[in-house]
Amino acid sequence: RYVRQLQRLQLLFSPTAADARGARQFVEEAAQDFARQHPDVVLYVSPHSGPGPAPVLRAEYLNGTVREELIASKTSEEIVQLATKLANQSGLDIVRIRKPFHTDNPSVQGQWHPLTNKPSILTIQGPRPQPQ
Amino acid sequence: RRSEKPNWDYHAEIQAFSHRVQENFALDLLKTAFVNPCYIESEEARRRQLGLDKDAVALQLQDNSGLAERGLRFARTYLAQCFEGAYPELPAKGIEALVNFLTSQELVSYVAQNLSIQDLALCRDFPAAPDVLQRTFLAVIGALLESSGPERTGIFVRDFLIPQLIGKDLFEIWEVVNPMGLLLEELTKRNISAPEPRITRQLGVRTVLPVYFVGLYCDKKILAEGPGETLLAAEEEAARVALRKLYGYTENRRPWDYSKPKQRLAAEKAISSN
């Protein structure tokens, strides 16, 4: 079954800073809908008063990775899109994937090895004596 | 510990856990499932150190050992039933080895860690020891058994424990000391004559790395063949390959069936009514 890899989202913003306007609108309008649509993600909203660090959306995944995304000067819809993107990701590191294909069963009928098509010793027959 | 960092709501986390696993739990059963006996002891010791009265020292919590036992028994019987249905030829020792592997500490603690049980479990030391995680996971299974009944718990166990067998070979899990003797027993059960080992192919006999392919023939028909470095090793490997074929645990067997059981019940009802 599918287990969503996002464990919790923490929304840290300040109620007075100008660049956290999108975050405040998100909290007022869209946060409840988002939480209802994703019941397996715990959404924490923590406003820290006064001028503090930039507003940030911190995502924690089941394998322990914590990912922070800046939401300064973003509109409410952009924050919703960002949150759904984080919700659909897994916690693996975002590195360049070396090849876009992977199989667990590289060969169906058995991998070739130098002895596959050689007849076995038991079936090799030496030169036959000529029938006299 | 995550529960001591800011932004932590235990009730919300437990609800999110039940949604993540897509199961309905009775929440109080689930909360008792996460309480470990070492946590209760450490809490009582701490309260006694702080100098509270004896009434306040005794906590109202029950621990999860009963639930864990029930979960373990159910998991073992269910997995044994699954394997008996899927591999009917496999002997009892093989099934026991598979079930022991699937309920072993490392595997269950690995599954529990990736389901965020290590954050929710209440235990004495951090990070949680693997046996604590195993007990908590089995207690979660026991709580699910009490809340939703054996069918849904069976589906849960099947979805989370059986995929750990993917890619694993039978004899990595089940240690067999004498595969030739076991093979002779199996063949006598099926009334087939004893196998005759013959060298099928050989490469590099006089070098440091020889390769011998030994085939096992019963009544001049081939049973299995396996490679090895020396003749004895090749014979043993051929016996193992023959056992894998007999028990139906080869690499090209049909993958496990994860479909919903409702279809099967409906099919059975349809068949019985006709």
Side-chain angles (χ1 to χ4, degrees):
Chain A
R1 64 185 67 174
Y2 174 63
V3 173
R4 191 184 291 276
Q5 292 290 317
L6 182 64
Q7 238 185 330
R8 55 188 83 92
L9 275 174
Q10 294 171 16
L11 188 58
L12 309 167
F13 65 103
S14 118
T16 40
D19 49 0
R21 185 164 58 104
R24 290 195 287 269
Q25 273 181 342
F26 171 74
V27 166
E28 281 166 25
E29 297 155 13
Q32 270 209 346
D33 299 328
F34 179 82
R36 264 194 208 118
Q37 279 162 9
H38 304 260
D40 42 5
V41 177
V42 191
L43 178 65
Y44 294 104
V45 172
S46 61
H48 44 78
S49 59
V56 95
L57 182 62
R58 191 184 296 160
E60 286 178 39
Y61 291 96
L62 284 185
N63 55 359
T65 38
V66 177
R67 210 169 145 216
E68 295 195 352
E69 302 261 340
L70 279 184
I71 42 179
S73 317
K74 281 206 167 103
T75 58
S76 175
E77 289 96 12
E78 282 177 20
I79 297 182
V80 165
Q81 279 172 4
L82 190 67
T84 37
K85 176 189 94 153
L86 289 172
N88 294 333
Q89 273 181 351
S90 88
L92 302 167
D93 299 332
I94 301 181
V95 267
R96 179 177 69 94
I97 308 178
R98 287 207 177 92
K99 19 183 156 166
F101 38 82
H102 167 80
T103 38
D104 281 328
N105 307 311
S107 86
V108 176
Q109 296 177 3
Q111 217 178 19
W112 184 90
H113 50 87
L115 289 172
T116 17
N117 283 327
K118 265 197 181 169
S120 76
I121 294 177
L122 302 170
T123 53
I124 289 179
Q125 294 179 352
R128 282 185 217 204
Q130 297 295 327
Q132 294 298 332
Chain B
R1 225 189 275 214
R2 182 63 187 84
S3 49
E4 286 154 14
K5 289 190 199 166
N7 282 334
W8 176 261
D9 184 6
Y10 196 64
H11 187 75
E13 294 279 343
I14 290 196
Q15 276 181 330
F17 176 75
S18 64
H19 278 289
R20 199 177 295 143
V21 179
Q22 293 166 15
E23 298 283 348
N24 292 325
F25 282 102
L27 282 178
D28 41 347
L29 272 178
L30 192 55
K31 282 191 182 177
T32 42
F34 282 117
V35 175
N36 284 300
C38 50
Y39 176 74
I40 296 187
E41 287 163 11
S42 63
E43 276 290 312
E44 289 187 2
R46 203 164 58 100
R47 289 192 186 189
R48 240 177 271 132
Q49 268 184 348
L50 290 172
L52 292 171
D53 303 329
K54 281 210 179 149
D55 296 332
V57 163
L59 282 172
Q60 304 288 331
L61 297 173
Q62 296 172 336
D63 60 2
N64 61 1
S65 25
L67 285 174
E69 259 181 277
R70 257 174 283 167
L72 180 64
R73 254 183 293 141
F74 175 80
R76 289 182 77 98
T77 41
Y78 179 76
L79 287 172
Q81 270 176 11
C82 275
F83 289 133
E84 273 164 28
Y87 309 115
E89 317 276 326
L90 204 53
K93 268 190 284 179
I95 296 187
E96 201 188 309
L98 281 174
V99 170
N100 283 343
F101 170 71
L102 283 182
T103 48
S104 64
Q105 268 191 21
E106 314 134 4
L107 201 118
V108 174
S109 59
Y110 172 73
V111 173
Q113 283 215 334
N114 287 48
L115 280 175
S116 80
I117 290 183
Q118 88 277 19
D119 286 336
L120 294 168
L122 300 170
C123 54
R124 181 180 48 194
D125 33 34
F126 176 77
D131 54 330
V132 169
L133 285 176
Q134 184 194 19
R135 209 182 327 145
T136 326
F137 187 73
L138 294 169
V140 166
I141 296 181
L144 183 58
L145 186 62
E146 307 270 308
S147 335
S148 320
E151 272 192 25
R152 282 214 62 113
T153 324
I155 301 175
F156 180 88
V157 169
R158 178 196 71 177
D159 280 342
F160 282 104
L161 286 184
I162 292 188
Q164 305 294 328
L165 280 178
I166 294 177
K168 291 244 165 44
D169 188 28
L170 179 63
F171 294 112
E172 283 177 29
I173 307 171
W174 180 24
E175 297 256 351
V176 165
V177 178
N178 184 16
M180 207 62 189
L182 199 57
L183 180 64
L184 284 170
E185 282 175 24
E186 289 289 321
L187 290 178
T188 44
K189 267 190 235 170
R190 286 151 225 243
N191 286 330
I192 308 177
S193 58
E196 197 190 323
R198 298 248 176 154
I199 303 178
T200 335
R201 308 164 223 271
Q202 57 184 17
L203 283 185
V205 175
R206 286 198 227 156
T207 59
V208 179
L209 296 170
V211 173
Y212 295 100
F213 269 77
V214 163
L216 293 174
Y217 289 86
C218 299
D219 294 330
K220 301 192 186 125
K221 278 192 216 157
I222 188 143
L223 186 60
E225 77 168 332
E229 282 220 353
T230 58
L231 281 168
L232 284 173
E235 200 182 317
E236 199 186 312
E237 184 60 36
R240 279 179 205 264
V241 173
L243 282 171
R244 269 181 219 132
K245 271 194 198 165
L246 285 174
Y247 295 149
Y249 208 93
T250 51
E251 278 200 16
N252 55 354
R253 65 182 186 272
R254 236 196 144 87
W256 196 270
D257 180 28
Y258 292 104
S259 55
K260 289 188 195 170
K262 288 179 201 167
Q263 298 160 358
R264 261 193 283 142
L265 276 174
E268 279 176 24
K269 277 179 199 162
I271 293 171
S272 58
S273 63
N274 288 340

